[in-house]
Amino acid sequence: MIYKFTSRAKKAIELAQDEAVNLGHNYIGTEHILYGLVREGAGVASKVLQNQGVTPNDVENKIVDMIGKEVITSQETLGFTPRSKRVIENSFIEARKLGYDYIGTEHLLIGILREGDSIAVRILLDLNVDLPRLYNEIVTVINEAEDVSKGGATNSKQTGSYNS
């Protein structure tokens, strides 16, 4: 399936790939996507992660602690892990549920949260991130953006809830 990403989400995926290469990993895992989201710097995901005190250095250090850093031995094309593919699928489903035709950084982060048993979620927990609070903050930012784009109209759309 072909997904459409915002420019910020594309940048986050590129940063995820760069981080995987830098760490000598031959795949893009959820942990790399999380790194890309926080490192991107301007999207909804980056902002809400920073509000919770998550930094790119924190995420990178946790990746190295959990998985390690390898010496790069090949320049073969990196593929997404099955779990990372599910994160992207979940992101697309979440975006569609919210009425969007594209995947933004906020949808990628929700996709990570929905894929509960992942290295990215373990990193967030290790960094003492309150996952339900993080999810609620994402939803609040999405709703505020919708309200602004609709000229301040009240948003009556149900956005669901976070289930850990």
Side-chain angles (χ1 to χ4, degrees), residues 16-21 25-28 75-80:
Q17 182 173 1
D18 292 347
E19 181 66 359
V21 169
H25 301 160
N26 63 352
Y27 62 90
I28 301 169
Q75 292 292 62
E76 66 185 57
T77 305
L78 300 178
F80 288 94

Side-chain angles (χ1 to χ4, degrees), residues 40-152:
E40 182 272 330
V44 170
S46 182
K47 290 177 183 171
V48 297
L49 287 165
Q50 289 171 9
N51 287 348
Q52 293 252 345
V54 178
T55 69
N57 286 341
D58 291 338
V59 174
E60 183 176 54
N61 290 337
K62 287 291 181 186
I63 293 170
V64 171
D65 288 347
M66 293 174 140
I67 298 166
K69 186 173 182 174
E70 304 294 326
V71 175
I72 299 173
T73 56
S74 105
Q75 292 292 62
E76 66 185 57
T77 305
L78 300 178
F80 288 94
T81 63
R83 195 172 297 269
S84 291
K85 289 178 184 176
R86 282 196 305 272
V87 163
I88 293 171
E89 290 167 10
N90 290 342
S91 302
F92 176 73
I93 291 166
E94 192 67 29
R96 294 302 293 225
K97 244 187 346 186
L98 295 171
Y100 295 95
D101 292 329
Y102 57 85
I103 297 171
T105 61
E106 63 274 26
H107 306 122
L108 285 169
L109 185 53
I110 291 171
I112 286 172
L113 294 174
R114 294 258 188 252
E115 191 61 35
D117 186 29
S118 69
I119 293 174
V121 168
R122 281 189 275 175
I123 288 170
L124 291 171
L125 291 172
D126 282 356
L127 294 173
N128 298 315
V129 172
D130 180 335
L131 299 183
R133 185 171 146 226
L134 180 66
Y135 177 84
N136 290 334
E137 190 172 345
I138 297 165
V139 170
T140 298
V141 172
I142 292 170
N143 287 341
E144 287 171 356
E146 283 182 5
D147 289 349
V148 168
S149 70
K150 292 177 183 173

Side-chain angles (χ1 to χ4, degrees), residues 1-18:
M1 178 155 220
I2 297 175
Y3 299 111
K4 292 189 279 185
F5 294 88
T6 64
S7 60
R8 289 182 177 145
K10 284 180 194 173
K11 178 74 174 168
I13 296 293
E14 290 169 9
L15 291 165
Q17 182 173 1
D18 292 347

